[in-house]
Amino acid sequence: MAASRVRWRWWVLPGAALVVWAVAHTDRGGTTPDAAPRPAATSSAAPDATPSATPGGSTSAPQSAGAYDPADCAAAVRRYAAAAGIHPQLLMAILYNESYKPHDPALERAWQRYKPDAAFGVANMHRAAFDEVKRGRAFADRKWEELPDDRDLAVEAAAWYLHDLDRQLPARPVGHTRDELLALGYNAGAGNMRAFAHGTPPGVQAQSYLDRLHENWARAGRAVNR
């Protein structure tokens, strides 16, 4: 009887964790910030076509459910933001925006079995985006399925995705800073980002993402500068 109770608890605990995750996944709202982020460093002078080498292994802190802090990725954020020519504070703020769910490999894979189109890794990247951004880059031989296990790879892919988005922006965007538009592009896609850059107001979901970016901006700066 005691052994039966133990087995029952092992089934219930992962199930409860997935329920919590599912609730968090559907509630990504935010409040209006006090201050907007500063403009991103211009990346019109794009870095070399060959990016920095993919590291041999992740240098981030150990991964465990409920213990993830985007600041653990500060070294990778600084390294890959510099390689991709984007603002490290922007990349870190996006990691904070995407930290709404537990970034534990086992939980991510369990959730992906329930929701096949789910995103993977600390930057919540979908398969199509990863397969597109890796082309011609040092991590071209890596797989989307590796993202939950390798935070450095997730940060590297996110940095280069932001780089690619930046190259699609007009020289003089309207209404938002480049950093804000890149964050909107990360959330809503390149087509919507270009529309926002020409004056189309963001919808409710995109504006919520931007609001949370503003909320996370100051602590993202502290994390990358510590």
Side-chain angles (χ1 to χ4, degrees), residues 40-180:
T42 301
S43 61
S44 55
D48 293 339
T50 303
S52 59
T54 302
S58 175
T59 58
S60 304
Q63 304 178 38
S64 60
Y68 168 65
D69 182 351
D72 296 339
C73 300
V77 166
R78 290 190 294 266
R79 179 165 67 255
Y80 295 122
I86 55 104
H87 193 182
Q89 191 169 358
L90 167 65
L91 181 54
M92 180 62 79
I94 285 175
L95 292 187
Y96 275 110
N97 267 33
E98 301 295 343
S99 65
Y100 63 90
K101 70 181 185 183
H103 286 294
D104 173 80
L107 285 175
E108 287 203 62
R109 289 193 174 89
W111 180 250
Q112 196 266 344
R113 285 193 292 272
Y114 171 75
K115 186 176 174 61
D117 64 342
F120 264 179
V122 294
N124 283 336
M125 185 167 282
H126 289 277
R127 183 192 298 272
F130 180 78
D131 288 345
E132 178 183 347
V133 77
K134 76 176 186 177
R135 292 174 186 163
R137 300 214 157 104
F139 56 100
D141 61 341
R142 305 296 296 275
K143 296 181 179 179
W144 174 75
E145 289 84 358
E146 298 177 64
L147 290 177
D149 302 293
D150 192 337
R151 289 178 178 171
D152 282 9
L153 176 62
V155 173
E156 183 177 21
W160 284 102
Y161 187 65
L162 290 168
H163 163 85
D164 292 349
L165 287 172
D166 185 73
R167 299 188 69 175
Q168 300 180 53
L169 284 174
R172 299 179 183 276
V174 176
H176 294 91
T177 68
R178 294 187 80 85
D179 276 350
E180 290 173 328

